[in-house]
Amino acid sequence: MKTKFLLPIIALGLFAACDDSSSPSAPKVETPVPTDTTTTPVAVDPTTDPTVTPVVDPTTDPATNPVVDPTTDPATDPVVDPTVNPGTDPAVTPGTDPVPGADVVETPIDPTASVNACLSATRAPVVEPTYATVPSSGEYVYYGAELSGVEQFKYGRYEACMKMVSIPGSVSSMFLYYDNSWMKDEEPWNEIDIEVLGKGGTMWQSNIITREGDPSIKKNTSSESKPLHEFGFDATEGFHLFAITWTPEYVAWEIDGVEIRRDPLGQVHGTHADADQVAFLTKDQTLRFNLWASKSAGWVGAFTGDELADAPKAQWIDYVRVYSYDTATKTFTEAWTDDFEGADLNRDHWATGNWEMEKVNLAPENVVVENGYCKLLLTRADK
């Protein structure tokens, strides 16, 4: 049984309103009343006779030069629509959209409680898996595992307390992924990675992978960390908190509550339309974890399979925590935590992979839930 501490998140909202204004009305002109012409005329002074067209000073005649209140004179004090007042709503270049909530200060997550829950938890003993004793043919096939999220996310924070794997050729990972990326052609590629590679458990790689939906473009844009990040510890020997934060303004990677890398909006990689990778991450993505073996010896070391001769290798996941992100208030709210306390996966959150992944086939039976953990297994079997 694990003891964990949850950090309450308070969402704050900021709202702004504009006052309406009205236009001044036109001056009102009185029409003279006609006089009776059947009565005896009376001599009158024409300068004071109201029936005679009065002599009017043209400089003050409202018909030719209406008196205007200078405080509302459009020549000196133009009427401004408050919804487009440049003093309250700065002009935006046509065809562009400001980042949602750009004038709001983000309320970040304090990872202290999550880090303590991961590093200091009292948890069930980790018992490494073993093979059943069976005669060997000497020819093998290899199997990996993928825990695939079923929920679609657009921005948020994603945490996992994990013990990773590193043998020559292996990739032990946590990542966000647009489900149709693999289709290529007119589908874009969106992906954010944390990967512990087969070159040693003391190093790891952060990465954003993108590609615009253009069939003529065959190569993805990658911004993998070079050189690899140094943990300062061996991630295969104990549990540590891994986190990805994704917002419209940046992507950040954390280990044990320490931000290791941040890519801001506007940072450019490559020359295609997806060069500003943070801006190009527009697709909803699922949260995934996998363990597999790559063909790229230069990237992860050479996989021979001998590393699996004595026993399977396991990536251990203690718990996963997901936070939603409000783009208007720039606040994070915990959506759910899965601590794998049941006998099987919570199918509201998870599915399993069953496809080929370079040197292995992903096997649903290699995703195992027991004793409060989810284990991803890398195994070999007789052909």
Side-chain angles (χ1 to χ4, degrees), residues 93-333:
T93 302
T96 65
D97 293 319
V99 175
D103 57 343
V104 179
V105 177
E106 180 180 289
T107 303
I109 290 290
D110 181 351
T112 304
S114 293
V115 172
N116 290 340
C118 180
L119 300 185
S120 305
T122 301
R123 53 174 59 92
V126 172
V127 179
E128 296 295 345
T130 59
Y131 293 122
T133 303
V134 293
S136 173
S137 66
E139 295 185 357
Y140 306 102
V141 290
Y142 300 96
Y143 297 95
E146 177 160 314
L147 180 65
S148 301
V150 298
E151 294 175 87
Q152 301 287 327
F153 302 110
K154 183 71 171 291
Y155 311 128
R157 178 181 170 87
Y158 312 91
E159 299 176 348
C161 181
M162 298 186 290
K163 180 176 178 285
M164 308 299 272
V165 170
S166 180
I167 61 172
S170 69
V171 180
S172 183
S173 77
M174 166 186 179
F175 62 110
L176 293 163
Y177 181 77
Y178 168 50
D179 289 353
N180 289 346
S181 295
W182 66 274
M183 298 174 70
K184 300 184 177 180
D185 293 327
E186 295 182 356
E187 287 286 354
W189 195 297
N190 278 193
E191 181 176 345
I192 307 170
D193 297 331
I194 289 176
E195 295 166 319
V196 175
L197 307 177
K199 289 186 173 181
T202 62
M203 299 178 292
W204 64 285
Q205 178 175 276
S206 58
N207 200 4
I208 300 177
I209 302 175
T210 54
R211 185 186 56 78
E212 59 183 299
D214 183 340
S216 69
I217 298 174
K218 306 301 182 184
K219 187 176 180 180
N220 293 336
T221 300
S222 294
S223 56
E224 69 271 14
S225 49
K226 293 180 179 179
L228 297 177
H229 305 295
E230 292 283 349
F231 280 121
F233 53 81
D234 190 332
T236 69
E237 294 182 352
F239 285 86
H240 294 272
L241 187 70
F242 298 78
I244 296 171
T245 301
W246 170 34
T247 79
E249 297 175 320
Y250 68 90
V251 174
W253 295 257
E254 291 179 22
I255 304 297
D256 291 339
V258 178
E259 185 175 295
I260 305 300
R261 171 183 171 184
R262 176 180 291 229
D263 279 15
L265 185 69
Q267 183 168 305
V268 174
H269 300 274
T271 58
H272 292 300
D274 62 334
D276 185 346
Q277 290 188 299
V278 173
F280 195 76
L281 294 172
T282 58
K283 294 294 187 180
D284 290 0
Q285 301 188 58
T286 51
L287 177 63
R288 299 172 179 234
F289 304 82
N290 64 19
L291 177 60
W292 53 288
S294 172
K295 296 177 181 178
S296 177
W299 179 41
V300 296
F303 178 77
T304 65
D306 292 343
E307 300 83 4
L308 302 175
D310 297 330
K313 299 299 180 182
Q315 176 177 331
W316 296 76
I317 307 174
D318 188 1
Y319 66 84
V320 175
R321 183 167 297 138
V322 170
Y323 297 83
S324 62
Y325 181 73
D326 188 317
T327 57
T329 61
K330 294 189 178 181
T331 52
F332 297 89
T333 302

Side-chain angles (χ1 to χ4, degrees), residues 47-64:
T47 62
T48 60
D49 182 2
T51 66
V52 180
T53 302
V55 177
V56 181
D57 182 351
T59 62
T60 60
D61 181 4
T64 59

